[in-house]
Amino acid sequence: MVTIGLIKEGKIPADNRVALTPAQCRWIQQNKSISVVVQRSPTRCYTDDEYIKAGIEVKDDVDECDILFGIKEVPVDMLIAGKTYFFFSHTRKLQSYNQKLLQAIIKKEITLIDYECLEHEDGTRLIGFGFFAGVVGAHNGMMAYGNRTGAFSLNRVYKKKNFQELIHTYFGLKLPNIKVAVTGSGRVAHGILEIMNLMEIHETDPDEFKSTEFTYPVYVHLKGADLYVNKLTGTYTRKEFHEHPEYYRCLFSNYIADTDILLNGVYWYDKVPRLFEMDDMKKPDFRIQTIADISDDKLGSVPCNLGENTMEDPVYGVDKISGARTAPYLHGSVDVMAVGNLPNELPRDASRYFGEQLIKFILDDLISGGSKIIEDATITNCGKLTDNFSYMKAYAGL
Ligand SMILES: NC(=O)c1ccc[n+]([C@@H]2O[C@H](COP(=O)([O-])OP(=O)(O)OC[C@H]3O[C@@H](n4cnc5c(N)ncnc54)[C@H](O)[C@@H]3O)[C@@H](O)[C@H]2O)c1
């Protein structure tokens, strides 16, 4: 019988999420030929006791497990040689801060399957925390706008026990006639839209959004063809855009004069055009006052994302003229909410959502000995870089 281990998160600051909840572990043990062991942890959002009550073994070491599930990067000194791990390694883009981690994984002859690389055939990701990043990020963006204008007040998400409790805080919330632009088409965008609907912000189409001042709060959802156009042909095709985003220009500047709040969930890397440039902020028609950059790429799709914000202190200002970081809510600045671990504000819901996807898309293949999807997401197999990731050779020190 296969034994799965849920490891204790070792990265500092400690992440409180987990790949499977106690109820999911119990279900797996009862319905699949798998046993689950949980490594004792004082910081996990589900306590050791909750796992024990669900009939799951909780231990200090997980050396005897066949497959280990974590969330964040495993510190090098916690890696167990020869094991198979699933976690977010943040190495596929050759991130310099995780180079030593990949080198240690190779040295310790580990098999690493990265959740971020588990993809459907067309490149759509199978599994992720994006939905709750969108939920928390949209809430925080709205909260920041309320703080700036004094028009309404929202509390912090992490002070609520769960998503259900958070929803209750929206009853009776009266918003001014704001215009919100939502960008992106993946899980993050879906989470943002959930909050737009829960806050009873009305959807409008791109043309109406630009041409009308409404007497109630509205949002526009900008994705694919609304946001990007081929510089030569003036058209948009998803496949071409994914393969050659450098052929495209961004249309977001058409919305800047009509947007109070930007909630950004686009997928971005350096070949993808930005939503706007720093100089656009100097223009008198730059109406945006609050940006929740949920994608959170420093100096990325949102150029005034200056990085290094935390859950404890999620909002700062950026001066529209100098581009310098300021205190939030000042006249002449734009407020930016950009935090890299947003789902940690709702860790129990985010973990349950993640575990559901893991069970649905991965578990059966894992027990039956693998699948092409798992193979394609395997960065190292017993310490050897796989063909898909051979581009990482120099980074891996080979
Ligand atoms: N701040 C946080 O806490 C947090 C948490 C989760 C995700 N994120 C970030 O938010 C962004 C969006 O995440 P998501 O969960 O919505 O992603 P997702 O995988 O669910 O969706 C990505 C979307 O981007 C589109 N896309 C455009 N170009 C692409 C390309 N070249 N390759 C793949 N997809 C492409 C896809 O069609 C898809 O609709 C990511 O950059 C992610 O890292 C941030």
Side-chain angles (χ1 to χ4, degrees):
M1 190 195 285
V2 176
T3 304
I4 284 178
L6 299 183
I7 59 174
K8 165 176 143 185
E9 293 298 307
K11 190 171 175 177
I12 295 170
D15 200 290
N16 51 9
R17 291 169 292 173
V18 63
L20 294 165
T21 68
Q24 287 165 345
C25 292
R26 185 178 50 214
W27 184 88
I28 289 172
Q29 288 202 151
Q30 285 171 352
N31 294 283
K32 308 276 172 189
S33 49
I34 294 180
S35 79
V36 184
V37 171
V38 173
Q39 190 170 29
R40 213 177 292 283
S41 163
T43 53
R44 197 181 279 128
C45 61
Y46 290 94
T47 63
D48 295 342
D49 255 10
E50 287 178 279
Y51 284 98
I52 293 167
K53 282 191 187 125
I56 310 302
E57 190 179 2
V58 174
K59 291 168 51 166
D60 281 319
D61 73 71
V62 281
D63 290 30
E64 280 163 25
C65 296
D66 304 298
I67 299 163
L68 297 171
F69 285 112
I71 300 295
K72 289 290 229 199
E73 297 97 315
V74 177
V76 167
D77 60 352
M78 285 173 71
L79 287 169
I80 307 172
K83 288 290 175 197
T84 295
Y85 278 93
F86 280 76
F87 60 89
F88 288 101
S89 74
H90 300 290
T91 54
R92 76 186 297 199
K93 294 185 198 164
L94 311 179
Q95 291 94 324
S96 55
Y97 56 92
N98 281 330
Q99 187 170 14
K100 285 207 172 86
L101 171 63
L102 190 74
Q103 292 179 354
I105 284 168
I106 287 171
K107 199 163 158 214
K108 293 191 179 198
E109 300 183 353
I110 283 168
T111 296
L112 167 65
I113 300 143
D114 192 316
Y115 298 125
E116 200 184 343
C117 307
L118 292 164
E119 289 173 346
H120 291 290
E121 232 170 65
D122 68 352
T124 302
R125 274 179 52 198
L126 245 75
I127 188 164
F129 283 99
F131 179 81
F132 280 99
V135 163
V136 174
H139 174 100
N140 288 354
M142 296 301 294
M143 178 190 73
Y145 185 84
N147 290 349
R148 165 176 277 275
T149 58
F152 58 95
S153 167
L154 289 168
N155 213 329
R156 292 301 306 269
V157 176
Y158 69 80
K159 294 193 173 158
K160 300 289 153 211
K161 193 169 148 222
N162 53 33
F163 188 36
Q164 204 56 38
E165 260 195 24
L166 179 71
I167 293 172
H168 282 287
T169 66
Y170 300 152
F171 294 152
L173 176 69
K174 191 162 184 315
L175 298 172
N177 304 336
I178 40 170
K179 294 172 95 176
V180 185
V182 177
T183 55
S185 51
R187 289 180 179 79
V188 164
H190 289 139
I192 300 173
L193 297 181
E194 183 82 15
I195 292 295
M196 294 297 95
N197 294 327
L198 286 168
M199 289 187 176
E200 291 188 36
I201 303 176
H202 298 262
E203 182 170 15
T204 176
D205 68 44
D207 287 335
E208 261 190 333
F209 185 83
K210 284 187 288 188
S211 62
T212 314
E213 286 305 323
F214 297 82
T215 53
Y216 46 87
V218 295
Y219 76 88
V220 64
H221 182 199
L222 303 171
K223 52 185 180 189
D226 308 313
L227 264 189
Y228 304 104
V229 66
N230 183 303
K231 290 179 220 170
L232 291 178
T233 62
T235 59
Y236 171 91
T237 54
R238 185 173 182 265
K239 188 167 182 296
E240 185 190 58
F241 176 68
H242 283 196
E243 286 168 6
H244 291 290
E246 71 278 15
Y247 295 173
Y248 283 71
R249 70 183 172 84
C250 184
L251 300 172
F252 185 70
S253 56
N254 297 340
Y255 299 89
I256 284 176
D258 296 289
T259 301
D260 298 300
I261 303 173
L262 166 62
L263 305 175
N264 177 39
V266 298
Y267 179 89
W268 189 86
Y269 59 104
D270 55 5
K271 282 189 182 166
V272 180
R274 292 180 212 290
L275 293 179
F276 59 90
E277 299 297 334
M278 283 303 257
D279 276 348
D280 291 322
M281 291 169 58
K282 296 179 186 163
K283 296 179 184 160
D285 68 348
F286 191 89
R287 173 166 161 180
I288 304 171
Q289 297 194 69
T290 306
I291 301 175
D293 183 14
I294 303 163
S295 305
D296 192 29
D297 296 296
K298 183 177 173 182
L299 308 176
S301 55
V302 168
C304 57
N305 175 345
L306 306 180
E308 279 115 51
N309 251 37
T310 60
M311 184 166 121
E312 290 71 32
D313 191 13
V315 188
Y316 55 91
V318 177
D319 186 272
K320 288 204 250 182
I321 304 298
S322 70
R325 187 188 295 250
T326 68
Y329 317 132
L330 295 183
H331 181 72
S333 67
V334 175
D335 298 318
V336 177
M337 191 296 312
V339 174
N341 60 350
L342 290 167
N344 277 41
E345 289 205 45
L346 277 180
R348 290 170 72 97
D349 296 277
S351 299
R352 196 179 61 240
Y353 169 75
F354 186 84
E356 273 168 21
Q357 299 167 77
L358 196 60
I359 291 169
K360 192 158 45 177
F361 294 122
I362 303 299
L363 205 66
D364 286 335
D365 288 341
L366 206 56
I367 321 168
S368 64
S371 67
K372 178 147 181 355
I373 286 175
I374 295 176
E375 201 182 304
D376 287 348
T378 306
I379 295 184
T380 61
N381 189 350
C382 301
K384 302 237 165 1
L385 265 189
T386 59
D387 288 348
N388 271 1
F389 297 91
S390 56
Y391 70 92
M392 298 171 94
K393 242 182 177 169
Y395 173 81
L398 301 172

